[in-house]
Amino acid sequence: MIELSQVVKTFEAGLATPFTAVDGVTLSIPAARLTVLKGPSGSGKTTLLTLIGCMARPTSGRIHLHGLAADALPHLAPAEALEITSLPERFLTAIRRRTFGFIFQQFNLVRGISVLENVMLPTYPTGEDHRAVEARAVARLESLGLARHLRSSVDRLSGGEAQRVAIARALINDPAVIIADEPTAHLDSRLSEDFMGLMSQFKDAGKTLLITSHDPIVYDSALADLVVEMRDGRVVSET
Amino acid sequence: MRPPLQRYRNILDFALSSLLRRKGRNLALISVYTLVVFVIASLVFFVQALKHEAHELLVQAPDMVVQRMVAGRHDPVPLAQVEAIRSIRGVDEVQPRLWGYYYDPVFGGNLTVLATEDAALAPDAIWIGEGVARSMRVKEGDLIPLRGYDGQSTLFSIQKVLPETSELVSSDLVLMAPKDVRALFHFPEGLATDLAIQAGNPRELPTIAAKIVELYPDSRPILKSEILRTYEAVFDWRGGLMVVVLGSAVLSFIIFAWDKATGLSAEERKEIGVLKSLGWESADVLLLKFWEGTVISVTAFLTGVLLAYAHVFFFSASLFEHALKGWSVLFPHFRLSPALDGYQLTVLFFLTVLPYTAATLVPSWRAATVDPDAAMRS
């Protein structure tokens, strides 16, 4: 479980024009379930994702991971709660690498290199054996129907294909939590349904899923266990 | 493979594919970088090789040369002085030398004609240096005509082409019998060009020189150490002149490289953000940028040094020989013997590779130490 307590994120704090993107959010995100953050643009969904995913630190408030960071920080007992906002950078990086898999709105694939290399990128700093990682990446890509694109440059992929490469990359370190930011924003309805199909498989495999979206295909899906509505940086409802 | 080593290898692999992604930009950078290293290394090699040649030359030089001066000009020395100088305490040997310059209008170069008493030299034959043979396109057994003081040509057969230990020493040399030298230049009997003196103890040379001047006030003794100092000064001065000229080129490169290396494009900044969000630490990003900078600078350094080596030692530094060799039009062309100085190469390495690598790390460090989400938004 991920627990947020009075989390605030203010950009340009202390300057002439501070902007509070997340304003006192308290929330519990259950493990092995699909949680959707919905709300209009500027409601603070993406900022909240970056805070949960250890990509930025909140200005105030606390975020606890319950039983999720054991792979990243082996000295912790599996069930122990970990308060992440005060951790040093290298621990945050380790958690980001082992605990979370990110699927970005713009996919954020590295241009000019192959599909396979993109998927293997998160493992390079771990020093894991190259051949073992490659075999794992090929298996992931094959399971997502991308076998024929292994050596292609990512620049030549369609939107749906690029997203599946981003999914394969998010899964390469076998994370406990998958975070997806507006994953269907650039997909048509059929591809959006396909995406939700994949999420269903991951949920069945015991992954915790956290998705931001203002697409009804996502937040009205039967798969969604918890839908959190946000507006102006605050949680307005939980269903 | 152990994980830390594998980590280095993985990141190096990615650095190489990153460089290939920006082929155009990186090739342009390597080309300019190589050019600068090439020019500086050519200069270093050239000056070093000239110093080496000068050293070789001086190894064979006498401890002291005595010339005679008339109205401030060099004039032949009477052979009658030989015995008087030999009797000075500390002088081991006095050898009168007979030599002069012969200008050949056909190939446009000066030859140094030197008399030798070597018994192996056949009558009417000469020994020539490698440079003379190359310039005149002649070989052993050929006949060459030399034009005497009166305009009459004399034929000499080439008995031997001198081996190439130091071309600067022997390249333009023509060795012939003393009688042939006197006949060619109409050099009077009883006179020599100068006197070569060997002393048992080199520390006595200044005293011997003072005694010679006392004995013959119109003489000018030149010590080996003075010749050495003059050569060093000339070569260093020529090298220094080129450094000043090249300074502006190097400065332009530094500005160019600084601009290229320090300016991270928006795409590069975003990529750093993506890598960090995928679990790369700041140290991993810095290692990536370090490899990129190292690959570029080491490639440019090695290519530049190899090209400079070929330029100086295979093509006689043809691009700037006029500035460096000085009176090159008067000499037959000579090839320098390779002489490398590890210290200077190391200094060149640190002056060219380190600043560039450091320049690539500064902006990457700035980008790599911010939160990944900020780097992605920038």
Side-chain angles (χ1 to χ4, degrees), chain A residues 96-97 108 111 117 121 125, chain B residues 21 270 276 279-280 376:
Chain A
R96 210 155 56 225
R97 185 190 299 153
N108 283 344
R111 295 164 60 107
E117 273 186 287
L121 264 182
Chain B
R21 282 188 293 148
K270 186 176 173 184
K276 286 205 74 180
W280 284 50
M376 286 173 65

Side-chain angles (χ1 to χ4, degrees), chain A residues 2 23 79 84 97 102 132 148 154 158 183 191 199 216 232 239:
Chain A
I2 302 167
D23 191 3
I84 58 173
R97 185 190 299 153
F102 296 92
R148 68 193 179 93
V154 290
S158 68
L191 289 173
M199 292 301 110
D232 300 327
T239 52

Side-chain angles (χ1 to χ4, degrees), chain A residues 21-78:
Chain A
V22 174
D23 191 3
V25 170
T26 297
L27 186 64
S28 290
I29 297 166
R33 296 283 185 272
L34 193 155
T35 302
V36 178
L37 300 178
K38 76 167 190 177
S41 293
S43 59
K45 307 184 299 289
T46 300
T47 304
L48 193 61
L49 276 195
T50 63
L51 298 176
I52 294 169
C54 302
M55 287 168 66
R57 291 170 198 273
T59 310
S60 65
R62 293 280 177 264
I63 301 173
H64 287 89
L65 301 183
H66 294 271
L68 288 173
D71 282 354
L73 303 172
H75 60 279
L76 288 181

Side-chain angles (χ1 to χ4, degrees), chain B residues 199-210:
Chain B
N201 181 0
R203 285 160 64 180
E204 290 179 359
L205 282 169
T207 316
I208 294 170

Side-chain angles (χ1 to χ4, degrees), chain A residues 47 50 55-57 89 93 96-97 102 104 108 110-113 117 121-122 124-125 127-128 130 169, chain B residues 3 6-7 10 13-14 17 21 267 270-271 274-281 284 371-373 376-377:
Chain A
T47 304
T50 63
M55 287 168 66
R57 291 170 198 273
E89 172 62 29
T93 305
R96 210 155 56 225
R97 185 190 299 153
F102 296 92
F104 301 98
N108 283 344
V110 176
R111 295 164 60 107
I113 59 172
E117 273 186 287
L121 264 182
Y124 285 170
E128 222 181 314
H130 198 264
R169 187 178 65 182
Chain B
Q6 184 68 48
R7 168 179 170 259
N10 289 343
D13 279 350
F14 183 58
S17 64
R21 282 188 293 148
E267 194 184 337
K270 186 176 173 184
E271 261 182 38
V274 170
L275 293 176
K276 286 205 74 180
S277 70
L278 296 177
W280 284 50
E281 285 184 29
D284 299 323
D371 286 338
D373 114 288
M376 286 173 65
R377 286 168 196 264

